Every structure is written in C-alpha cells, then in structure tokens.
Amino acid sequence: MSTQPDPARGAAVKAADRAHVFHSWSAQGLIDPLAVAGAEGSYFWDYDGNRYLDFSSQLVNTNIGHQHPKVVAAIQEQAARLCTIAPGFAVDVRSEAARLVAERTPGDLDKIFFTNGGAEAVENAVRMARLHTGRPKVLSAYRSYHGATAAAINLTGDPRRWASDTGSAGVIHFWAPFLYRSPFHAESEEQECERALRHLEDTIAFEGPATIAAILLETVPGTAGIMVPPPGYLPGVRALCDRYGIVLVLDEVMAGFGRTGRWFAADHFGVTPDLLTFAKGVNSGYVPLGGVAISAEIAATFETRPYPGGLTYSGHPLACASAVATIDAMAEEGIVENAARIGEDVLGPGLRELAERHPSVGEVRGLGAFWAVELVRDRATREPLVPYAATGEANAPMAAFTAACKAAGLWPFVNMNRTHAVPPCTVTASEAKEGLAALDEALTVADRYTV
Ligand SMILES: Cc1ncc(COP(=O)(O)O)c(C=O)c1O
C-alpha cells in the first residue's frame, strides 16, 4: 500500500511548507512538520519509507480511517455532478446528509444547520441559545476545548484560551467531574457526581439563573483528557437546565459519530440536549464539515423570525456527499459497533495491563476508540509527568515519550501529561494490539522520569 520512498520529493514538499505555510498553534521557526506522502486505513507514511500506525486519527477525526473507498468515490461522483451551490437552495446531498444526521441524533434534534467545522458549530449554537432565551451568559467547563474562533475559544477551558481571553463577556467557567484529579476532594464517583452538580447549581445561583442562556459541555471531554462523566452527572445537568430554563448544548465534535462506541456519546447517558454540535467524524474530515443539530423548540424560535447567521459554504455539496457516504458506510460495515468492541476487548484491557507494568501510568480511562493514559511522575501523589501547560525543557519527558512512540512506528495523540489512544473506529484488533505494543515500548522511556 505505501508508495515508493522518494526523499527528494519529500525534501521539496518540506521546503515549500517551511517557506510559505503558516501553521496552527505553533512558533513557526521551532516546528519540523513531517511531509506525508499518503495514507490508507489506520496508517499514513512519509517520503522516506516510514509508515505510522495512526493512534491519533489525525486530530481525532478520521473515524472511518484514511481513504475509505466508498467516501472517496462519493466525493468524486459529487464533484463530477455539482461541486458547489449556495446554501439557499435545496439540493439532494444536503437534504440527505441532514436527514441521516437528524435520524441518529438523540430525541427531537431534527433540524441541522451545517458549518465548515467544529468551532463554527459552537459559535452558532451559542448564538441560537442566546437568541432563544434572550439571556447573555454561557457556562462552560475548565478542562475543555470548543474551538479557536471568538466565542469558542473564550468558552474553551484550556491554555489555548489564555492568549485570546479578551472578549469573554458572558463566559463563566466551572468545574466538571474528574475523580482522578477531583476538584471536590471526592473519593468516589457518587461523591464526585453529587458535588459537581452542587457546584454547578451554586454557580448558576450566584451568576443569576435569569442571565444564563446555555450550559455548554463536551459530553465526554476529549483533548482535555477523556474524562467519562459519572452516570448521573449529565442527567443532573439536564435537570438543572430544565429547572432554570437554560439551554443544554452538548459538544460532540470529538465524541460523536462512533468515537465512544455509540453514534453519539449522549446515548450512553440517556440525555437529549437542546443543541448538539458535531464535526470531525461526521465525514471523517475528508471535506470540512460541522454543524448544529437543533431541537424542535429552538427551531420554532426561528420559524417566522430570521436566524441571523450563515456561511457561504453551509452544507457544501462535496462535504455533504462525503457525510452521506460516511454515515452509510459506518452503518453498513458496523463501524460504531467495531469501536465499542475494540474498546471493550482490546484497548481497555490492553491499556490496563500496561498500567500494571509501567510506573509512569497513573490512570487509564475511556470507552470505544477513545482512551486516555494519564502519565505521572509519582503514582502515590499523582504528580503529572510534566506540569500543566509545560513547554520547552519542562516538557522534556513528554517530548521523549512522543519521540519513542514515533520510533516504534506509532503516531500518538499527546496533550500535556497524557497520551490518548484514539485510532480510527475501523481499527482492527491486530492493529490495536500493534499500537499497544508500541506504547509498551514508549512507556519504558516515560518510566525513566518517575520518582
Ligand atoms: C470538542 C471540540 N469542540 C470543538 C472543536 C473545534 O473544531 P474545529 O477545529 O473543527 O473548529 C474541537 C476540535 O478539536 C473539539 O474537540
């Protein structure tokens, strides 16, 4: 499957990149981007003959793996038929993509507003909630990520917000449950759940319920650490929203479309939000696409009153065609069920077994194809392997761990003191085991930094 190595071509690609491409989230002079020659299924490769098992699904978006033939064909067919059309028209692939998404989202989330990605989905969900309620504030959690545009970055609860923390009028952060590093000094899931709900209700009371438009939560926080909430937490948040007339927005940009072993992570908890944001897995990012699934009640607000928001490429035909093919292929090939099975049979047990042998592993948690491995210097105190938001020398242990993964043929997802095992939902048992073996090797490097 890999193409023939071609180091000269790789060097040219890299040189043009370094000369002209301005990269996200980076000091431009300090990065060394890998030149990628191709990808298929769970793997991608460079021009030097190195192949990597993609345990990051890129940015946790290639749920269906790279170059799925049915999705590639759908994009090609749509390109030949109708590449683009303005959002104001009704067009077959857009109608069908909206129908397929609405059919799978929980409850009465039956209207779909399409965007180009996750941040725009969050921007629009917040706008809808504010207009629907006539209230200004939005509550979101620390340890979260919601995107890099104006409202989305202010709602984010990680260090990426700090540089943009200027326009955050109406944004209030609170602590969501995370037993391993409990903000509430809890000792059990039940305590954590109960105290987190009390903290949220106190926050609502002190902010003034009548000023709060929405509570925005990742159903299972992703980049911030895959903290699966205790069973009663999200139903408890739903009840608080109902009590105070607050819109519940669940951000499923990362957790949605099979990642957790269900179509949506909300399905694990029996909770229906008023708005649900999605992107990434909806079409595995083959063409940029995101959106907001909207409840009947909020849709009714905009039945005779115009919705003041739009995008030139809302519901782009190439993106929608790839979403239709992705959702159909996921259903036909049992890809969501595969993610659930791999999580239960291979990734969960395999990562727990690594935790037993490696002193650098503090905790393993997750579900489906969505797992976090928390790396620590000291298991007893739970001191993280690197400090929160560490850079440069302070981050050396994680840099060494990352390099060891790559040397073992695994492309890891790494954030702060964690690595996430987030392969495509199509990953086979033998690929998942190959990934676990590479992590085993790399963890011996992390172990060297333990006390
Ligand atoms: C939960 C969540 N919300 C929103 C976003 C932003 O999506 P995008 O990068 O497509 O704008 C992300 C991206 O990682 C995400 O994980």
Side-chain angles (χ1 to χ4, degrees), residues 88-446:
F89 295 102
V91 60
D92 54 3
V93 281
R94 187 184 292 145
S95 306
E96 180 62 358
R99 187 184 72 80
L100 289 174
V101 173
E103 247 178 39
R104 280 162 182 79
T105 48
D108 66 343
L109 306 179
D110 288 337
K111 286 270 170 76
I112 310 299
F113 178 74
F114 285 115
T115 64
N116 300 303
E120 286 175 351
V122 170
E123 294 287 331
N124 281 283
V126 166
R127 178 180 290 150
M128 287 173 194
R130 284 179 166 149
L131 291 166
H132 177 71
T133 58
R135 301 172 178 182
K137 290 182 191 166
V138 181
L139 270 49
S140 65
Y142 289 113
R143 300 191 194 278
S144 69
Y145 182 68
H146 294 292
T149 53
I153 198 67
N154 279 293
L155 287 157
T156 285
D158 87 8
R160 282 175 285 186
R161 186 188 78 240
W162 297 346
S164 307
D165 228 348
T166 45
S168 53
V171 169
I172 288 100
H173 286 95
F174 63 94
W175 293 102
F178 179 21
L179 184 59
Y180 186 69
R181 299 194 182 285
S182 172
F184 310 108
H185 311 286
E187 281 163 10
S188 68
E189 288 282 15
E190 294 71 28
Q191 268 183 2
E192 184 73 357
C193 182
E194 194 242 306
R195 292 177 189 184
L197 286 171
R198 202 182 324 142
H199 160 69
L200 180 56
E201 186 156 20
D202 285 348
T203 308
I204 293 169
F206 278 75
E207 287 299 330
T211 69
I212 301 168
I215 295 176
L216 167 69
L217 275 172
E218 291 176 77
T219 313
V220 176
T223 307
I226 314 187
M227 293 83 78
V228 182
Y233 183 67
L234 290 170
V237 176
R238 175 73 268 180
L240 287 175
C241 286
D242 291 343
R243 188 169 319 144
Y244 295 110
I246 296 169
V247 169
L248 176 60
V249 186
L250 288 181
D251 183 344
E252 296 243 2
V253 166
M254 189 176 279
F257 287 97
R259 179 56 53 193
T260 66
R262 304 288 288 265
W263 278 98
F264 291 95
D267 300 338
H268 291 279
F269 305 99
V271 167
T272 301
D274 304 296
L275 297 168
L276 181 149
T277 55
F278 64 87
K280 297 188 188 265
V282 63
N283 65 353
S284 279
Y286 283 29
V287 181
L289 183 66
V292 188
I294 307 163
S295 70
E297 193 189 329
I298 295 182
T301 292
F302 302 105
E303 198 60 25
T304 50
R305 166 184 175 186
Y307 174 63
L311 300 154
T312 298
Y313 305 134
S314 177
H316 192 280
L318 294 182
C320 287
S322 62
V324 170
T326 298
I327 295 169
D328 283 345
M330 287 179 84
E332 284 159 17
E333 296 168 21
I335 290 171
V336 180
E337 295 77 5
N338 184 66
R341 207 165 36 240
I342 291 286
E344 260 169 46
D345 298 348
V346 186
L347 287 175
L351 290 170
R352 283 186 208 106
E353 193 271 326
L354 291 181
E356 278 168 27
R357 285 190 290 107
H358 290 281
S360 58
V361 177
E363 188 183 55
V364 160
R365 53 180 181 265
L367 69 184
F370 205 34
W371 290 84
V373 180
E374 182 104 12
L375 300 181
V376 290
R377 258 172 58 76
D378 184 343
R379 263 187 180 169
T381 63
R382 303 185 177 181
E383 180 188 347
L385 194 67
V386 297
Y388 189 75
T391 54
E393 242 338 275
N395 196 46
M398 287 308 292
F401 168 79
T402 305
C405 286
K406 292 177 186 173
L410 180 99
W411 198 269
F413 182 102
V414 173
N415 184 266
M416 298 201 201
N417 68 312
R418 286 169 275 106
T419 190
H420 293 182
V422 284
C425 300
T426 48
V427 71
T428 65
S430 79
E431 289 168 347
K433 284 179 188 157
E434 181 188 325
L436 291 168
L439 283 177
D440 193 7
E441 244 179 278
L443 285 170
T444 60
V445 173

Side-chain angles (χ1 to χ4, degrees), residues 4-16 35 46-48:
Q4 281 299 312
D6 186 352
R9 174 96 187 112
V13 169
K14 180 78 155 285
D46 65 15
Y47 288 91
D48 295 326

